[in-house]
Amino acid sequence: MAGGQERILRGRIRSVQATKKITRAMELIAGSRIVKAQQRVAAAVPYSEKITEVVRDLAAAGAGQGSPLLAGRDTVSTTCYVAIAGDRGLCGGYNAGVQRATEGEIKADVLAGKQYVVVPVGRKVEKYFRFRGYQLSQAFGGFSGAPSLADAKAIGAYVVELFTSGQVDKVELVYTRFVSAGNQEVVLRPLVPLTVETVAGGDGKAGPADAPTGDYEFEPDPSTILDSLLPSYVEARIYAALLNAAASEHASTQRAMKAATDNAEELIKSLSRIMNRARQDSITTEIMEIVGGAEALGSGNVKDPLPRDPQSVVETVHTHGGHASVG
């Protein structure tokens, strides 16, 4: 029985060791991808800041009064939530954070008697809301680990069309902002309409009221420039959100895989101790059986029908698999 238990434990240890190799490899891969994702986030910051500054100055100059992207609705009855998550799992609570945040906003709208629609970006968030029967619009996915500007343009064109056609009255982004490799936070950022407060702070944050503005001369007129820049501004905002989400996903994957590797190491140690204890018990039991058998043969307590000459005793011991010395 002990031998069977030892074989079972050896099999479990081999299985956990194989899993540990996989999680360790995934941890290293995610760690290498974090660096590239951070570089992409940092490279996109100057463009995002500059286009935000230009749009803010154009809006301050009185441009875009008739632009549909700047014209807010008197009554917001339908809100579009662009939920950005991952295409894969094994990343800890990354996907669940975006799902919970979006779900909380939806429940608040339902309680207030308002309508909603979800634009899922990422296969995991799409499956989550589709399985639970939420109202979904067009889904985007397949690029959560390495988004491109073309992906941001496709999402931007779609949500702008939803807003300008009157299907929704407001568009908001729900994604995970990358602060550092050890810190990410789920944020909710307004995207459309582009109010003065939204544009002033960039990335959906309200800027200070006394923020300095530049003195520019625009050619052609500010309204024409703003009309051409607003779609690019929306794309830049979405692209920044996608890059932040990708970096956050890699960071969450690295942490989750490191935790899994550490847990596998602890499980291997625990199983090894149990297996060694079982093997030691098995060896001790075998020794006790051999010693007991030898003592029984030596003391003559066992009735032996065979002749008691020395050669016969030796042959009997060998037949029973034991070892004894004949005096």
Side-chain angles (χ1 to χ4, degrees), residues 210-293:
D210 56 349
T213 58
D215 186 12
Y216 299 101
E217 292 184 1
F218 300 101
E219 181 67 31
D221 60 282
S223 297
T224 303
I225 299 175
L226 186 61
D227 290 340
S228 61
L229 280 182
L230 283 179
S232 298
Y233 175 74
V234 172
E235 294 167 3
R237 288 276 306 281
I238 295 176
Y239 187 50
L242 291 176
L243 293 179
N244 274 270
S248 300
E249 181 181 1
H250 295 319
S252 298
T253 300
Q254 184 189 35
R255 288 199 305 272
M257 292 301 100
K258 184 180 186 305
T261 302
D262 295 341
N263 292 338
E265 182 66 28
E266 291 297 324
L267 184 57
I268 290 172
K269 292 180 181 178
S270 177
L271 291 175
S272 297
R273 285 193 293 266
I274 296 174
M275 185 186 68
N276 292 335
R277 193 178 300 116
R279 183 169 56 187
Q280 186 177 8
D281 293 341
S282 175
I283 294 173
T284 303
T285 302
E286 291 178 1
I287 292 175
M288 294 299 294
E289 291 176 353
I290 294 173
V291 172

Side-chain angles (χ1 to χ4, degrees), residues 110-190:
V110 172
L111 291 176
K114 298 180 180 179
Q115 300 295 322
Y116 71 90
V117 65
V118 179
V119 176
V121 180
R123 297 192 181 101
K124 283 296 181 179
V125 71
E126 178 190 0
K127 292 179 180 178
Y128 179 86
F129 288 113
R130 191 178 300 281
F131 178 76
R132 286 160 178 79
Y134 286 93
Q135 299 178 13
L136 300 183
S137 186
Q138 181 176 339
F140 299 86
F143 51 81
S144 66
S148 64
L149 184 59
D151 301 320
K153 288 183 176 181
I155 299 172
Y158 180 74
V159 297
V160 167
E161 175 61 26
L162 287 179
F163 178 78
T164 55
S165 63
Q167 299 181 47
V168 299
D169 303 315
K170 183 173 63 173
V171 180
E172 295 191 350
L173 294 173
V174 186
Y175 65 98
T176 306
R177 188 169 70 92
F178 182 84
V179 180
S180 65
N183 183 21
Q184 300 86 42
E185 60 177 356
V186 179
V187 295
L188 180 70
R189 297 284 186 255

